[in-house]
Amino acid sequence: MAEKSLFEKICDREIPAEIIYEDELCLCFKDISPQAPTHLLVIPKERINRLAEATSDHQNLLGHLFATVPHIARQEGFLESGFRCVINSGPDGGETVPHLHIHLLAGRKLEWPPG
Ligand code: 5GP
């Protein structure tokens, strides 16, 4: 069996994290190195290494991840003030953890374009 990703270990409670939302398909926890006052990661429990490897088989799961974002934003109190979702895929995308995740950033006015 392939070695578990860091985020699979967080899912399985082998590595601690501040989990703020969980359902049968996904988990949301605080990023260890926040880039905004609120910096959350939303991950599928099923491992997809990166967006570049997603296929039509993952359509429902990806839809679920994105549909969960406004629920989390409402729960955490930044639905109205706004937020940004970022997915880094591959070396040029800045990916460092090979387990698909949506960065959910909020709590300050974010600049554009990103670096
Ligand atoms: P990436 O660079 O792959 O887009 O994002 C990976 C994110 O995971 C980074 O923002 C990084 O701070 C976060 N991260 C890395 N290791 C840990 C960890 O052990 N716990 C948590 N909560 N976040 C982590």
Side-chain angles (χ1 to χ4, degrees):
M1 198 157 53
E3 199 190 326
K4 283 184 185 180
S5 71
L6 173 65
F7 291 169
E8 281 174 301
K9 289 178 184 170
I10 288 177
C11 269
D12 293 343
R13 275 47 173 194
E14 291 169 17
I15 292 178
E18 281 193 70
I19 294 170
I20 63 129
Y21 174 86
E22 179 171 23
D23 63 31
E24 69 283 9
L25 295 176
C26 71
L27 189 74
C28 176
F29 50 92
K30 293 186 181 178
D31 195 293
I32 205 167
S33 176
Q35 302 302 310
T38 299
H39 186 172
L40 307 174
L41 300 172
V42 186
I43 68 164
K45 290 183 172 176
E46 176 193 335
R47 182 170 177 182
I48 304 169
N49 287 322
R50 58 193 56 84
L51 191 57
E53 292 182 23
T55 69
S56 54
D57 288 347
H58 301 119
Q59 212 164 301
N60 287 344
L61 180 55
L62 295 176
H64 180 78
L65 285 184
F66 277 101
T68 301
V69 165
H71 174 80
I72 294 168
R74 187 178 297 109
Q75 173 188 301
E76 297 303 304
F78 56 82
L79 185 68
E80 302 299 332
S81 52
F83 55 87
R84 181 174 294 168
C85 290
V86 174
I87 298 177
N88 299 326
S89 184
D92 281 359
E95 171 201 311
T96 59
V97 177
H99 184 135
L100 177 67
H101 46 282
I102 302 173
H103 292 263
L104 182 48
L105 300 143
R108 68 173 167 84
K109 191 153 181 62
L110 297 162
E111 293 177 3
W112 191 263

